[in-house]
Amino acid sequence: PAHHHSSEVKIPAAQLFPGTNRIEISTNGYILADTCIINRKLKFPANKKIYPEYVNLTDYFNDKVTRIFKNKYLFPRPDVPTLQLPEQGIGNWAYPLVNPVMDDSGLRKLAGRKGYFTLPNGIPFSTPWKENVANVIFTSMWNNYPDKIMIPLHGSAIHAYFLMAGSTNPMQSRITNGEMIVHYTDGSSDSLLLKNPGTWWPIEQDYSYDQYAFHCVVPVPWRVHLQTGLITRHFNHYTSIKGFTDLAIPGGAATVLNMPLNKNKTLQSLELKAVANDVVIGLMGVTLLRNKN
């Protein structure tokens, strides 16, 4: 009845996937709720009808993830005096020479010659293991990289998981830094907005959450530490970058994100798109969950 609460609705964990799940509640043809719930603790369902499939990104990789702060990001910039971001893409006005070293040796070792690794929740990712081989697709509003890239897809899928790494700054907090857009052949699409801090994390550090001044309602994602291969959601052995952060991750870390898809539609392409200035959006791996039927 109006102004009352419904009885509790329970959804068996076996019917959900790790990460984000879209929930729709309807009755008599009316949609009462259409939202998403997030649970990073869930395991990949032990369902023989569902299997993971890697999307081959080899032909689209345009750099090594360790080079993100090795560039000179010079354009576009304003033509007047401002507190601009240092040319290496990280730092601040008081400490303009910040330049943390990114090291992906642990990730490559984790993948090994088999070329993939598996998260604790059972989701696998494919990634190059050979040293000095490109392993990321970078996009950016900086002219160093394209502002968007289209990757062809085929068939249908229930879920998409992304291994991502890139940069962001306080100026880009609470706004869309980039987008992951899945296009279907019927012209429709699903999208994942990459927002600092909820769904977009900096490669060089973790966020500071105290649930007061620094608050985020989105659960902490899985982070894959590039230098050690550690996969965790709760890290506490940080280092310091003087004048910049006390939550630095030695060697940097990639972030695992996901997007529920419409299993009844045919996939056409995946679009990786940079939106905000001064950031680099990187994609390192894509795994689709497909239904054998």
Side-chain angles (χ1 to χ4, degrees), residues 35-174:
T35 187
C36 290
I37 59 174
I38 302 175
N39 191 328
R40 312 282 192 201
K41 299 178 182 180
L42 294 175
K43 299 286 186 178
F44 179 68
N47 188 331
K48 294 182 179 180
K49 295 182 179 180
I50 299 173
Y51 67 98
E53 181 178 286
Y54 309 125
V55 176
N56 189 350
L57 304 179
T58 303
D59 292 340
Y60 301 92
F61 288 145
N62 56 13
D63 211 339
K64 293 178 289 184
V65 71
T66 54
R67 284 187 45 80
I68 186 170
F69 300 130
K70 298 297 183 182
N71 294 309
K72 288 188 175 182
Y73 299 103
L74 303 178
F75 184 84
R77 286 179 179 269
D79 296 326
V80 296
T82 67
L83 294 178
Q84 298 182 36
L85 194 68
E87 64 180 21
Q88 73 272 20
I90 188 172
N92 53 50
W93 70 273
Y95 290 85
L97 302 182
V98 168
N99 199 347
V101 175
M102 300 293 101
D103 178 0
D104 64 1
S105 59
L107 175 65
R108 293 180 188 270
K109 183 177 180 180
L110 183 66
R113 291 182 178 273
K114 61 185 184 298
Y116 73 90
F117 68 94
T118 303
L119 300 178
N121 60 16
I123 300 297
F125 281 106
S126 174
T127 188
W129 65 273
K130 290 185 178 179
E131 187 178 358
N132 294 323
V133 173
N135 60 356
V136 67
I137 305 170
F138 278 145
T139 61
S140 181
M141 299 304 289
W142 297 114
N143 67 349
N144 303 67
Y145 301 108
D147 59 5
K148 66 178 178 180
I149 289 181
M150 302 289 290
I151 302 166
L153 299 176
H154 68 276
S156 60
I158 304 169
H159 242 76
Y161 289 86
F162 309 111
L163 182 67
M164 307 193 72
S167 62
T168 188
N169 309 283
M171 184 64 75
Q172 286 79 37
S173 182
R174 309 291 172 174

Side-chain angles (χ1 to χ4, degrees), residues 5-290:
H5 293 283
S6 73
S7 57
E8 187 177 57
V9 177
K10 294 185 178 181
I11 304 173
Q15 297 181 17
L16 300 174
F17 296 92
T20 304
N21 289 267
R22 183 177 178 181
I23 304 298
E24 181 182 291
I25 300 175
S26 61
T27 181
N28 298 326
Y30 293 96
I31 297 177
L32 304 178
D34 187 350
T35 187
C36 290
I37 59 174
I38 302 175
N39 191 328
R40 312 282 192 201
K41 299 178 182 180
L42 294 175
K43 299 286 186 178
F44 179 68
N47 188 331
K48 294 182 179 180
K49 295 182 179 180
I50 299 173
Y51 67 98
E53 181 178 286
Y54 309 125
V55 176
N56 189 350
L57 304 179
T58 303
D59 292 340
Y60 301 92
F61 288 145
N62 56 13
D63 211 339
K64 293 178 289 184
V65 71
T66 54
R67 284 187 45 80
I68 186 170
F69 300 130
K70 298 297 183 182
N71 294 309
K72 288 188 175 182
Y73 299 103
L74 303 178
F75 184 84
R77 286 179 179 269
D79 296 326
V80 296
T82 67
L83 294 178
Q84 298 182 36
L85 194 68
E87 64 180 21
Q88 73 272 20
I90 188 172
N92 53 50
W93 70 273
Y95 290 85
L97 302 182
V98 168
N99 199 347
V101 175
M102 300 293 101
D103 178 0
D104 64 1
S105 59
L107 175 65
R108 293 180 188 270
K109 183 177 180 180
L110 183 66
R113 291 182 178 273
K114 61 185 184 298
Y116 73 90
F117 68 94
T118 303
L119 300 178
N121 60 16
I123 300 297
F125 281 106
S126 174
T127 188
W129 65 273
K130 290 185 178 179
E131 187 178 358
N132 294 323
V133 173
N135 60 356
V136 67
I137 305 170
F138 278 145
T139 61
S140 181
M141 299 304 289
W142 297 114
N143 67 349
N144 303 67
Y145 301 108
D147 59 5
K148 66 178 178 180
I149 289 181
M150 302 289 290
I151 302 166
L153 299 176
H154 68 276
S156 60
I158 304 169
H159 242 76
Y161 289 86
F162 309 111
L163 182 67
M164 307 193 72
S167 62
T168 188
N169 309 283
M171 184 64 75
Q172 286 79 37
S173 182
R174 309 291 172 174
I175 65 173
T176 299
N177 286 209
E179 290 185 62
M180 299 291 296
I181 307 172
V182 172
H183 297 277
Y184 300 102
T185 55
D186 66 356
S188 63
S189 64
D190 279 315
S191 63
L192 170 63
L193 300 182
L194 305 176
K195 289 187 176 183
N196 162 354
T199 52
W200 189 238
W201 286 50
I203 186 173
E204 80 283 351
Q205 64 178 303
D206 275 346
Y207 286 121
S208 175
Y209 285 160
D210 62 9
Q211 301 307 327
Y212 293 100
F214 302 96
H215 178 70
C216 185
V217 297
V218 179
V220 174
W222 287 102
R223 299 274 273 168
V224 182
H225 290 215
L226 303 178
Q227 181 174 288
T228 63
L230 174 68
I231 305 173
T232 182
R233 295 179 59 239
H234 305 287
F235 186 62
N236 56 12
H237 299 290
Y238 299 106
T239 58
S240 177
I241 301 175
K242 184 178 180 181
F244 189 72
T245 180
D246 291 326
L247 294 174
I249 298 173
T255 305
V256 178
L257 301 172
N258 79 302
M259 182 197 309
L261 302 176
N262 191 324
K263 63 182 180 180
N264 299 316
K265 294 186 176 184
T266 302
L267 302 171
Q268 177 174 289
S269 60
L270 171 64
E271 181 178 358
L272 173 66
K273 181 179 180 182
V275 174
N277 289 329
D278 294 353
V279 302
V280 177
I281 306 294
L283 178 64
M284 302 184 70
V286 179
T287 298
L288 298 176
L289 294 190
R290 297 194 186 270

